[in-house]
Amino acid sequence: MLDVPLWLWAAFAVTVIVSLAVDLLAHREAHVIGFKEAAAWSGVWVGLALVFGAVVFLVLGTTPGVEYTTAWLLEKSLSVDNLFVFALIFAYFKVPRAYQHRVLFYGVMGALVFRGVFLAAGVAVVSRFTAVLFAFAAILFYSTYKILKEEEDSFDPGRSIAVRLLRKVMPVRDEYAGMKFFVREAGKRVATPLLAVVAAIEAADLVFAVDSVPAVLAVSDEAFIVYTSNAFAILGLRALYFLLAGLLDRFHYLSKGLALILSFIGVKLILQASHKLFSTSVPEIPSPVSLAVIVTVLAASVALSIRHPRPASAQGAPSATQAKHGDDAPDSEDGEPPAEEPRDTGDPPQGS
């Protein structure tokens, strides 16, 4: 087991808390996040992740450093899938662009908590039952099949369990009230659609964890490595969304690349489990090789998308990744719908 100094855990926690506080203060006023601002913040988050990775290399050694970098890049690549769903949710609820950063901020906070719980449980299970790696591999192979065959169920934000539970707990009004999550109407506390959007974002992240957690556990079973890499990848999701929202459909080979990465990680899990359970003669895939494969596949996917753009007649068609989540993709040039009245949250208003 990796011997992580307590001060390194503390440094990580302080870094995350301070980063979130600075981000919140920098965006305390509602405004539309432009490309330049998103690019600057993306640079900040990527730089922060790489600096922390350098600290891991220096303090814990080369192997943990390579595992951290591989896990971070893997999670970063898989998170592109989240961006399509963010766009779908914002389009469904007609969220004004000025409010979207606030929604994603709280969505990221929830994701940090839930991912921590899932990863801790995953590490505990893997340390006791190595055979569960075969089940994780099966999940990744099934995800690969669904991406390539475009056979995943469509995602309806308004009918998600989280949104339906929210409506059972309290009434949800139909109109936004600035960046407020709650308002008082007729002496009653009611939720605004913005809270329903946060609930839908959190529900989507729980779905993504099904792929993400087994994938990162194939890279490392050390709690420190898997959680810190996930955390830094998740922290950069908001800026990445605003940076790439209008460009996602142009990278039409990226979904195929992600499918290839998931299948590769599935093979890695099988070899890893076989090495531990059956025979040490079964080879394992080293972390440097995993890192090289992920970088190569991502670079090739982006390069192919640029070199062979989607035909004009297919520009309006959903990509493989979009198709697996539904076909309500945004249709404006910058990837967002016009700020109009919010979409009803799925049920008749209660008490508003």
Side-chain angles (χ1 to χ4, degrees):
M1 185 175 180
L2 194 63
D3 184 19
V4 181
L6 183 59
W7 68 263
L8 191 55
W9 273 109
F12 163 71
V14 170
T15 300
V16 171
I17 293 172
V18 171
S19 299
L20 288 172
V22 170
D23 190 8
L24 183 61
L25 289 174
H27 300 91
R28 58 185 179 278
E29 299 294 335
H31 68 282
V32 176
I33 308 294
F35 181 84
K36 289 183 178 179
E37 183 180 355
W41 277 101
S42 291
V44 169
W45 295 121
V46 170
L48 200 59
L50 294 179
V51 168
F52 190 82
V55 173
V56 173
F57 267 101
L58 292 173
V59 176
L60 301 180
T62 301
T63 298
V66 172
E67 290 180 348
Y68 165 87
T69 306
T70 305
W72 172 75
L73 187 59
L74 174 62
E75 181 62 27
K76 200 75 173 173
S77 62
L78 294 178
S79 69
V80 173
D81 211 17
N82 298 42
L83 306 185
F84 286 105
V85 176
F86 290 167
L88 171 63
I89 291 172
F90 288 149
Y92 182 95
F93 289 103
K94 293 184 170 31
V95 183
R97 293 182 64 207
Y99 303 159
Q100 291 175 6
H101 182 276
R102 179 59 60 91
V103 170
L104 293 179
F105 178 86
Y106 288 103
V108 162
M109 289 184 66
L112 288 172
V113 174
F114 289 127
R115 266 329 149 81
V117 173
F118 290 149
L119 288 170
V123 170
V125 170
V126 169
S127 65
R128 289 172 174 78
F129 308 103
T130 305
V132 77
L133 294 177
F134 291 114
F136 286 170
I139 291 173
L140 296 183
F141 286 138
Y142 183 55
S143 296
T144 299
Y145 169 79
K146 288 191 290 184
I147 291 175
L148 294 177
K149 296 296 183 180
E150 302 180 10
E151 292 186 358
E152 288 206 13
D153 297 331
S154 60
F155 176 69
D156 184 352
R159 305 303 303 175
S160 69
I161 294 177
V163 174
R164 285 185 287 167
L165 285 176
L166 173 63
R167 295 197 65 89
K168 290 183 180 298
V169 173
M170 66 172 57
V172 180
R173 58 180 276 162
D174 292 330
E175 298 82 23
Y176 289 102
M179 291 195 293
K180 295 180 179 178
F181 292 115
F182 303 98
V183 295
R184 284 200 170 273
E185 290 186 350
K188 291 184 178 180
R189 194 186 195 200
V190 300
T192 70
L194 211 59
L195 186 62
V197 178
V198 173
I201 292 286
E202 297 295 357
D205 184 70
L206 294 179
V207 174
F208 284 116
V210 174
D211 290 342
S212 176
V213 171
V216 76
L217 288 175
V219 176
S220 175
D221 58 2
E222 295 290 345
F224 180 80
I225 298 297
V226 296
Y227 185 65
T228 55
S229 59
N230 259 252
F232 280 110
I234 291 171
L235 284 173
L237 264 182
R238 290 153 299 164
L240 188 63
Y241 171 76
F242 292 110
L243 182 67
L244 300 179
L247 305 175
L248 292 174
D249 194 49
R250 300 182 189 180
F251 300 128
H252 53 286
Y253 283 108
L254 192 56
S255 62
K256 308 298 183 185
L258 295 179
L260 184 59
I261 289 173
L262 286 176
S263 61
F264 169 76
I265 296 299
V267 172
K268 178 178 171 66
L269 280 172
I270 290 177
L271 293 177
Q272 198 171 308
S274 300
H275 179 87
K276 293 179 179 179
L277 291 175
F278 303 135
S279 172
T280 54
S281 63
V282 176
E284 292 185 284
I285 300 176
S287 291
V289 173
S290 300
L291 179 59
V293 169
I294 293 171
V295 170
T296 302
V297 171
L298 286 177
S301 300
V302 172
L304 283 173
S305 298
I306 295 174
R307 187 175 179 83
H308 302 287
R310 189 185 296 242
S313 59
Q315 286 293 332
S319 65
T321 314
Q322 286 171 304
K324 75 174 190 171
H325 294 297
D327 49 14
D328 288 325
D331 53 14
S332 65
E333 188 175 292
D334 60 359
E336 301 298 336
E340 300 174 0
E341 290 298 312
R343 177 83 169 258
D344 186 12
T345 47
D347 297 315
Q350 302 175 17
S352 56

